[in-house]
Structures are given as structure tokens and as C-alpha cells.
């Protein structure tokens, strides 16, 4: 089992069993990804050395216990991309907890908010997620953690890590903590990618006053600062251009985007040294049977393609696998690339306790993941994106998680330490594991589908 140093232990745990995958749920708009915390990266005094040693031992123990895949590893696919979140912080490196101590987010209706716990989660034994990471609550700047992550990506056959990114000039208080690691971690990602054989692409996040021109500056910064690294991903089939996913792209007008993405735009990036394959977020159509709602936008804005991001059909028309054949036909008709996004499920009730109606069960032995991955493969898209490798707050991660026996052992050590038990900890309410497929089950499922994708869909 994994031993974590338990100090200042308290917890805010609440019950919200996963809803059945086929439950009748009312339609909901896409939810914002979990955010919060301080903006400017200030390295506070690090925690006492016992915690540093314990965290190092935890990572080493997991590395030693990681079983190899049943078949020999083969080359990874650079057509399979995993969304990666580098926003986690731990006292050993960052001087404080970041994101693992996520606040319990209020509902827009105050009466609903009053029915649920308030405040923040308190690591290391209480984290803002419904699953508990095998590595424990880690820092995204821990080189050993990043190396293990990339070895897991390689085991899964995933060739491209698409890291969540904000420009270093971003100053939106609404995304304060998420911004901190965003750019400072990139050199570590590239260095580790060179070592392990994983490429790095970028998921451009929304920030205050983002515009097409500010995105042009972002592209210039990325190419000039990081483009020389062998791990900086460039698509070989498209003139070795970098690939950039643009989250919430529809918040900027098509006319504004066209100013930089059209070859004739007044500030065009086309043909410059910071040209890129730009993928728009495809959210909805005009009707349940039509992709027309987004098609004019993507075409008029001169994006190179589209992706769907959300890890379930409940959140957006574009994320419903039943619509992917139509989306694929639309992208082909417009000579655009398509990257359907697949995910193992969704649950965020330890961050949004009022949101259980949007839970998407992982199904029996990960059956939901199998179904959506198969649907993506059947469209033979240029890319397949995975939501996500490690978005723990929303329960979309494929990164290994502790099984319940390990979580129970963690609880037992907390009790034995003499620390006061927090409400709900005795019953372990709110935590889940990956069931019979085990902690590494989603890595190996991914590898299966990557091989299937490579076999069926040629370039």
C-alpha cells in the first residue's frame, strides 16, 4: 500500500453515489472546469523534510509496484492525444497545497448551496476528487511524478500530451491557481518528453480579454520559446505544424478569428514561422440531427478542424458519440481535421456536491470508455483526444487511482495516528476506485484501442 504522511488531518466528505449511465437526466449546459486559487506563483517555505521524504518514497513505491503490460510495448501513436492538467501543488515543492484542496463550489441557488458542506478540502487524506491518485496528492512540478506520468502515457500508447496552458501574462483572477504551473512546467514536460518519447502540444485556455490577436502573440511565444525542442509536437502529415486546441473558441467571433487564421487576414499567421493547426471546440448544432450550428462558425473563422472535449453525451451535442459520424462528414466536407474526445466517465460531486445528475458512470469494467473509444475509431478521424489523463476534480482521469483497500488502509493509519476523525471518513463516502480492472485498467484499455485505431485507420 501507499503510505502518506497524515498531518493537519480533516476532511469534508459527502455521499453521492454514481448515477446509472442510462438515467434520464435533464439537459445541462457544459460545465466550466474546476478552477480557483492564487495567481502569481510564489514559492512559500517548503514543508518539513519528513513530508518531502514521504512523497519521494510514495512515488518510488508506486513505480516499483507498477506491473508491465501483458504485451511488449510498441511505439506510441502521435495521433492519440491526452489532455493533461499541470495545476497541482504540494507543500514539498510548492510550499502549499494547490487544487487538491479545491473549494466546494457553491450552487447558483443559495438554498441549494446551504444543503451541502462548505469550505475547502484538506489534503493529504482529503482531496477534491472522487478518486484518490495512486501517487498521492502530488506536485505537477515534481520531476519524478512527471516521468511516471509519461511512462504511463507510453504504456497506454498515447504519443502526445496536450497540456493545459495559459500565457505567462494571463492575469484573470477567475483562473488564479490554474495559471500558476501552466507555463513554468513546460520546460519540465519537454525535457521529460524527450527522455521518454512523448510529444507536447498545447490546450489554450480562456483568459481575460483573450482575442485572436492575443492568441497570435501566444503562438509566437510558444514557437519562439519552446519550438526548438524535439518534444514540441509537430504534425508530420500537415507540413510539420504544431497543433493547438483552443478551449471556448466560440467566445470569440468568427470574424476576429479569421483575421489571423484566414490566409488573407490582416494579421494572418498562415505561412509564418508561428503558423499552427488550430482546432476549435465543437459544442452544439442547431438541432439534435444537424451539425449546421457550428459548421458556419468553424468554416468562416478558418479553423483547421474541431474537437469535442467533454467526456460524455450529457454536456454538449458535439460530445455525443451518436453525432460523430455527422461531425466527421462535416469536417471532410470542409477539408478540416476532426478530433473526437473520449473519456472514461464523469463525476465531480466532491467539488460540486449538487451536480450528481450529471454523473456519467464508468460502467461495468470500464464499459463506457470502450463504447466511446470504439465510436471514435469508427469515424477514422485524424486524431483522437482523451479527456483526460489527470483531470481529477471531474473524475475523467485515466491516470491510475488507488483501489479501495489502499484508501481503507489510509483511513486506518489516520485513526491510528490519534488524529480526530472527520465527519464521513468512517464510511469513506464519496470515494470510488476502478473496480475489477484495477488501478492501471484504463491505461491498458487505451492501449488496446490505440492499436485498434492504428490498424483500422490509415493516414
Amino acid at each position: 500500500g501507499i503510505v502518506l504522511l497524515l498531518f493537519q488531518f480533516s476532511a469534508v466528505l459527502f455521499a453521492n453515489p454514481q448515477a446509472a449511465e442510462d438515467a434520464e437526466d435533464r439537459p445541462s449546459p457544459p460545465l466550466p472546469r474546476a478552477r480557483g486559487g492564487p495567481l502569481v506563483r510564489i514559492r512559500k517555505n517548503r514543508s518539513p523534510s519528513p513530508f518531502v521524504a514521504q512523497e519521494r518514497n510514495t512515488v518510488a513505491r508506486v513505480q516499483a509496484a507498477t506491473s508491465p503490460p501483458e504485451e511488449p510495448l510498441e511505439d506510441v501513436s502521435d495521433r492519440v492525444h491526452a489532455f493533461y492538467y499541470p495545476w497541482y501543488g504540494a507543500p514539498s515543492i510548492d510550499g502549499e497545497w494547490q487544487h487538491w484542496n479545491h473549494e466546494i463550489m457553491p450552487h447558483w441557488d443559495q438554498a441549494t448551496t446551504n444543503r451541502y458542506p462548505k469550505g475547502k478540502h484538506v489534503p493529504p487524506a482529503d482531496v477534491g476528487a472522487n478518486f484518490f491518485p495512486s501517487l498521492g496528492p502530488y506536485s505537477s512540478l515534481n520531476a519524478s511524478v512527471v516521468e511516471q506520468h509519461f511512462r504511463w502515457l507510453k504504456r497506454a500508447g498515447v504519443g502526445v500530451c496536450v497540456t493545459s496552458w495559459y500565457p505567462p501574462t494571463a492575469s484573470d483572477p477567475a483562473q488564479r491557481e490554474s495559471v500558476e504551473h501552466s507555463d513554468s512546467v513546460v520546460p519540465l514536460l519537454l525535457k521529460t518528453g524527450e527522455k521518454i518519447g512523448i510529444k507536447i502540444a498545447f490546450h489554450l485556455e480562456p483568459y481575460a480579454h483573450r482575442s485572436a490577436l492575443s492568441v497570435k502573440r501566444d503562438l509566437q511565444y510558444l514557437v519562439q520559446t519552446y519550438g526548438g525542442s524535439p518534444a514540441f509536437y509537430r504534425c508530420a502529415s500537415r507540413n510539420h505544424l504544431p497543433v493547438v486546441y483552443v478551449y471556448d473558441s466560440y467566445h470569440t467571433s468568427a470574424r476576429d478569428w479569421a483575421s489571423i487564421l484566414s490566409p488573407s487576414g490582416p494579421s494572418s499567421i498562415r505561412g509564418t514561422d508561428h503558423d499552427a493547426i488550430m482546432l476549435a471546440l465543437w459544442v452544439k448544432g442547431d438541432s439534435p440531427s444537424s451539425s449546421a450550428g457550428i459548421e458556419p462558425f468553424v468554416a468562416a473563422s478558418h479553423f483547421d478542424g474541431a474537437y469535442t472535449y467533454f467526456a460524455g453525451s450529457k454536456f454538449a451535442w458535439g460530445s455525443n458519440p451518436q453525432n460523430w459520424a455527422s461531425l466527421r462528414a462535416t469536417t471532410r466536407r470542409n477539408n478540416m481535421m476532426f478530433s473526437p474526445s473520449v473519456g472514461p466517465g464523469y463525476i465531480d460531486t466532491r467539488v460540486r456536491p449538487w451536480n450528481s445528475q450529471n454523473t456519467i458512470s464508468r460502467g461495468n469494467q470500464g464499459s463506457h470508455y470502450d463504447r466511446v473509444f470504439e465510436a471514435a475509431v469508427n469515424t477514422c478521424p485524424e486524431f483522437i483526444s482523451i479527456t483526460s489523463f489527470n483531470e481529477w476534480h471531474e473524475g475523467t482521469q485515466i491516470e491510475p487511482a488507488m483501489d479501495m483497500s489502499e484508501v481503507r488502509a489510509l483511513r486506518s493509519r489516520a485513526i491510528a495516528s490519534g488524529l480526530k476523525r472527520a465527519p464521513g471518513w468512517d464510511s469513506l463516502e464519496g470515494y470510488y476506485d476502478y473496480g475489477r480492472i484495477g488501478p492501471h485498467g484504463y491505461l491498458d484499455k487505451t492501449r488496446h484501442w490505440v492499436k485498434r485505431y492504428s490498424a483500422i485507420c490509415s493516414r
Side-chain angles (χ1 to χ4, degrees):
I2 296 177
V3 181
L4 294 173
L5 182 64
L6 301 178
F7 63 96
Q8 298 178 346
F9 175 68
S10 72
V12 183
L13 294 170
F14 37 84
N16 254 308
Q18 292 202 34
E21 190 169 34
D22 57 354
E24 298 270 339
D25 292 323
R26 62 179 181 272
S28 300
L31 289 167
R33 282 167 289 172
R35 313 287 188 194
L39 167 65
V40 181
R41 186 168 195 50
I42 300 174
R43 295 205 176 194
K44 300 183 179 180
N45 293 330
R46 297 184 180 184
S47 59
S49 58
F51 183 87
V52 178
Q54 198 68 49
E55 185 180 33
R56 184 169 57 248
N57 292 340
T58 296
V59 175
R61 209 172 273 116
V62 170
Q63 291 172 335
T66 298
S67 59
E70 295 180 358
E71 304 171 22
L73 284 173
E74 299 176 357
D75 290 340
V76 296
S77 172
D78 66 358
R79 299 174 65 193
V80 182
H81 305 169
F83 293 118
Y84 185 86
Y85 291 89
W87 55 28
Y88 301 104
S92 57
I93 290 178
D94 308 282
E96 63 181 353
W97 294 109
Q98 295 173 350
H99 265 270
W100 299 115
N101 62 337
H102 203 288
E103 71 167 322
I104 299 171
M105 298 178 72
H107 192 272
W108 48 87
D109 174 63
Q110 187 61 45
T112 301
T113 295
N114 292 340
R115 295 201 298 267
Y116 296 99
K118 299 174 180 63
K120 286 190 170 186
H121 291 279
V122 186
D126 167 35
V127 298
N130 289 87
F131 301 85
F132 207 96
S134 287
L135 292 175
Y138 52 75
S139 169
S140 294
L141 291 177
N142 185 325
S144 297
V145 167
V146 174
E147 180 170 337
Q148 180 61 71
H149 282 172
F150 281 20
R151 291 191 183 281
W152 278 333
L153 284 171
K154 189 170 185 179
R155 169 176 176 157
V158 176
V160 180
C161 165
V162 184
T163 186
S164 170
W165 187 82
Y166 296 84
T169 54
S171 58
D172 185 355
Q175 287 102 14
R176 291 177 299 182
E177 190 170 275
S178 304
V179 173
E180 289 197 342
H181 290 196
S182 170
D183 190 62
S184 60
V185 76
V186 174
L188 174 60
L189 298 179
L190 291 168
K191 180 180 178 181
T192 309
E194 290 180 32
K195 176 180 179 180
I196 307 299
I198 300 294
K199 303 293 186 182
I200 309 301
F202 296 88
H203 197 186
L204 183 55
E205 300 281 8
Y207 52 85
H209 311 299
R210 188 179 77 177
S211 66
L213 281 177
S214 75
V215 168
K216 178 180 178 178
R217 291 192 293 270
D218 297 339
L219 295 174
Q220 291 171 325
Y221 173 84
L222 287 171
V223 172
Q224 292 171 5
T225 308
Y226 304 122
S229 168
F232 186 87
Y233 177 56
R234 297 177 183 273
C235 181
S237 65
R238 294 293 179 104
N239 298 320
H240 296 277
L241 292 176
V243 173
V244 177
Y245 289 79
V246 184
Y247 191 75
D248 277 359
S249 47
Y250 52 87
H251 287 179
T252 301
S253 72
R255 181 177 180 179
D256 196 17
W257 284 123
S259 71
I260 70 165
L261 300 183
S262 170
S264 60
S267 303
S268 180
I269 66 171
R270 302 309 186 189
T272 70
D273 60 2
H274 49 275
D275 197 354
I277 297 168
M278 303 289 284
L279 302 180
L281 177 60
W282 202 311
V283 178
K284 63 182 179 179
D286 283 341
S287 70
S289 60
S290 171
S291 62
I294 193 70
E295 182 175 358
F297 172 82
V298 175
S301 58
H302 292 267
F303 273 94
D304 301 286
Y307 73 111
T308 61
Y309 186 76
F310 297 104
S313 59
K314 297 181 180 184
F315 301 119
W317 186 90
S319 66
N320 188 335
Q322 294 181 3
N323 299 324
W324 287 349
S326 174
L327 295 179
R328 184 64 178 127
T330 297
T331 56
R332 282 184 171 142
R333 184 166 58 248
N334 289 276
N335 193 30
M336 295 188 301
M337 306 179 86
F338 183 41
S339 180
S341 302
V342 303
Y346 183 97
I347 184 169
D348 65 356
T349 54
R350 286 177 53 75
V351 171
R352 302 181 184 101
W354 36 263
N355 196 42
S356 60
Q357 76 276 7
N358 279 314
T359 294
I360 297 173
S361 170
R362 292 183 173 230
N364 183 33
Q365 299 189 64
S367 58
H368 175 79
Y369 193 50
D370 289 328
R371 284 195 294 274
V372 295
F373 221 128
E374 182 177 26
V377 169
N378 286 343
T379 69
C380 280
E382 284 77 14
F383 307 124
I384 293 178
S385 45
I386 298 171
T387 305
S388 62
F389 179 77
N390 65 338
E391 219 295 12
W392 288 91
H393 303 309
E394 296 183 345
T396 63
Q397 78 289 335
I398 63 170
E399 180 183 354
M402 286 187 187
D403 61 36
M404 288 306 295
S405 64
E406 292 177 297
V407 179
R408 290 189 186 97
L410 183 64
R411 166 187 174 270
S412 297
R413 288 192 292 274
I415 294 172
S417 71
L419 296 174
K420 183 178 179 180
R421 303 183 216 176
W425 182 245
D426 284 347
S427 60
L428 300 173
E429 291 175 336
Y431 282 122
Y432 303 93
D433 63 15
Y434 293 165
R436 286 182 289 174
I437 66 172
H440 301 93
Y442 288 98
L443 301 180
D444 296 335
K445 279 183 175 292
T446 301
R447 187 163 172 270
H448 165 79
W449 287 110
V450 170
K451 293 178 67 176
R452 182 80 171 154
Y453 175 40
S454 299
I456 293 176
C457 305
S458 65
R459 291 185 187 274

